[in-house]
Amino acid sequence: MKKILVLFENEITTENLIEGAIYLKEKMGFTVSGLYINDIRRDGVMTQGIEGAIYDTTRTIMREEFLELRKQEIKNIKTKLKNIDFEMEIKLETGIFDEIIREEMKTNDILYIGKGNLVSDLLLEVLKENYKSVLIQGEAPLDFTNIFVANDNGVKINRSCYQFMNCFPLHKDIKLIEGKNIAEKRSLLEYLTSHSYNCKSEILEKKEEVVDFLSDKSLNGILIMGNLSRGYFLERITGKIGMKLLKQTHLSIYIG
């Protein structure tokens, strides 16, 4: 049975993630568990003192306040789960964020996280550090009715489709959204159809139109996209298509 780890903190509303966890468990048969991370790096402040000496002004009381806040948030979530009679283990881990993510994902298949109002540093850190699949909760409830692929015919989107096929093998209808120049290269279409997937293509005049198409509020479903490059800051500045999709689409996103 495949396992999903729900990472709380980056969501717009906790209810979205809880509803998604219920959907994944009851409709799709996943085992789900929750995680809060108390990142010790958030508490430290380094200041320069006399003769250039560096002092660590980390306050124990500040660290304790963060910890108590996390504990209260977990308590609130457990109360919500109890009210709807849904069981999900939620644990609190204290340490360095990326180290905890790497360790926790050794025993899980998918990391499930909210997108938040904006593309946050926390979400980008997840995309950078997590070595398995990521499911990002969009504005609308989690829904696998339609599966869209933002196809640039690259290695990363091919890998995401491969991982999606392994994680969600029963979803066989896929719609490729691609620019006319990409549609001429049929590698991904050939790969998916060879594995008995029913594929349709929405061919747009320019690849930039993919963002507009997938930002349509009337769409519902899941968007598969390839991971961003490691130059996250540069992509923010230059406005690459992957970053624009991450920011603008209301769909939930799967990245393998």
Side-chain angles (χ1 to χ4, degrees):
M1 185 176 290
K2 291 186 173 64
K3 298 173 68 177
I4 288 184
L5 181 64
V6 184
L7 181 62
F8 291 96
E9 185 178 352
N10 203 58
E11 65 273 11
I12 298 174
T13 66
T14 305
E15 284 74 14
N16 273 352
L17 280 186
I18 291 175
E19 288 175 7
I22 294 170
Y23 182 96
L24 291 164
K25 182 177 181 179
E26 296 184 351
K27 301 287 187 183
M28 311 190 77
F30 284 90
T31 297
V32 296
S33 60
L35 174 68
Y36 255 106
I37 296 177
N38 186 45
D39 192 340
I40 59 175
R41 294 173 302 177
R42 296 177 185 173
D43 309 334
V45 181
M46 303 297 287
T47 59
Q48 188 168 357
I50 300 172
E51 298 180 351
I54 302 297
Y55 298 95
D56 182 357
T57 61
T58 301
R59 295 186 305 149
T60 303
I61 188 171
M62 182 184 294
R63 188 179 298 117
E64 290 175 349
E65 287 171 354
F66 272 113
L67 189 56
E68 287 304 313
L69 177 61
R70 295 286 177 267
K71 288 179 179 178
Q72 184 58 50
E73 288 170 343
I74 291 173
K75 185 178 179 181
N76 293 340
I77 293 173
K78 287 183 176 179
T79 299
K80 292 177 181 178
L81 295 175
K82 186 176 180 180
N83 289 339
I84 59 174
D85 196 26
F86 182 73
E87 292 185 8
M88 178 169 63
E89 177 193 0
I90 304 174
K91 63 180 178 178
L92 173 64
E93 291 288 342
T94 297
I96 296 174
F97 181 87
D98 50 353
E99 292 179 359
I100 293 172
I101 290 294
R102 284 197 295 268
E103 191 62 29
E104 290 293 326
M105 289 310 295
K106 288 179 181 179
T107 56
N108 286 279
D109 299 291
I110 301 174
L111 184 64
Y112 180 33
I113 183 174
K115 184 169 71 170
N117 289 311
L118 298 170
V119 178
S120 66
D121 291 336
L122 186 144
L123 178 56
L124 293 180
E125 194 164 0
V126 163
L127 295 177
K128 181 174 68 174
E129 297 297 338
N130 183 39
Y131 51 90
K132 291 187 179 175
S133 300
V134 179
L135 180 60
I136 304 169
Q137 174 63 49
E139 297 171 25
L142 196 60
D143 179 10
F144 281 71
T145 302
N146 298 296
I147 311 297
F148 300 96
V149 175
N151 183 30
D152 62 0
N153 210 48
V155 172
K156 291 178 179 178
I157 187 59
N158 196 291
R159 181 177 187 274
S160 286
C161 287
Y162 168 75
Q163 297 286 19
F164 185 88
M165 290 160 61
N166 289 328
C167 290
F168 305 98
L170 298 180
H171 293 272
K172 292 290 188 179
D173 297 319
I174 286 181
K175 189 168 188 176
L176 303 177
I177 313 301
E178 51 197 4
K180 185 183 291 186
N181 59 324
I182 299 299
E184 296 171 359
K185 308 167 187 176
R186 311 308 288 168
S187 303
L188 184 58
L189 177 64
E190 181 182 337
Y191 174 68
L192 291 171
T193 53
S194 71
H195 286 77
S196 302
Y197 279 77
N198 305 313
C199 298
K200 295 181 180 179
S201 294
E202 181 72 32
I203 301 173
L204 306 172
E205 196 64 32
K206 300 177 182 178
K207 63 179 182 180
E208 290 79 10
E209 294 176 13
V210 169
V211 177
D212 293 332
F213 182 94
L214 291 168
S215 299
D216 186 343
K217 295 283 187 180
S218 67
L219 295 180
N220 61 302
I222 295 288
L223 168 62
I224 303 174
M225 59 180 281
N227 204 349
L228 306 177
S229 72
R230 293 293 172 147
Y232 296 96
F233 178 75
L234 182 61
E235 289 205 17
R236 276 178 162 171
I237 300 299
T238 57
K240 293 286 185 68
I241 287 179
M243 184 63 76
K244 287 181 178 177
L245 271 176
L246 199 59
K247 287 180 178 178
Q248 295 182 30
T249 185
H250 72 291
L251 298 171
S252 293
I253 298 171
Y254 176 87
I255 298 176

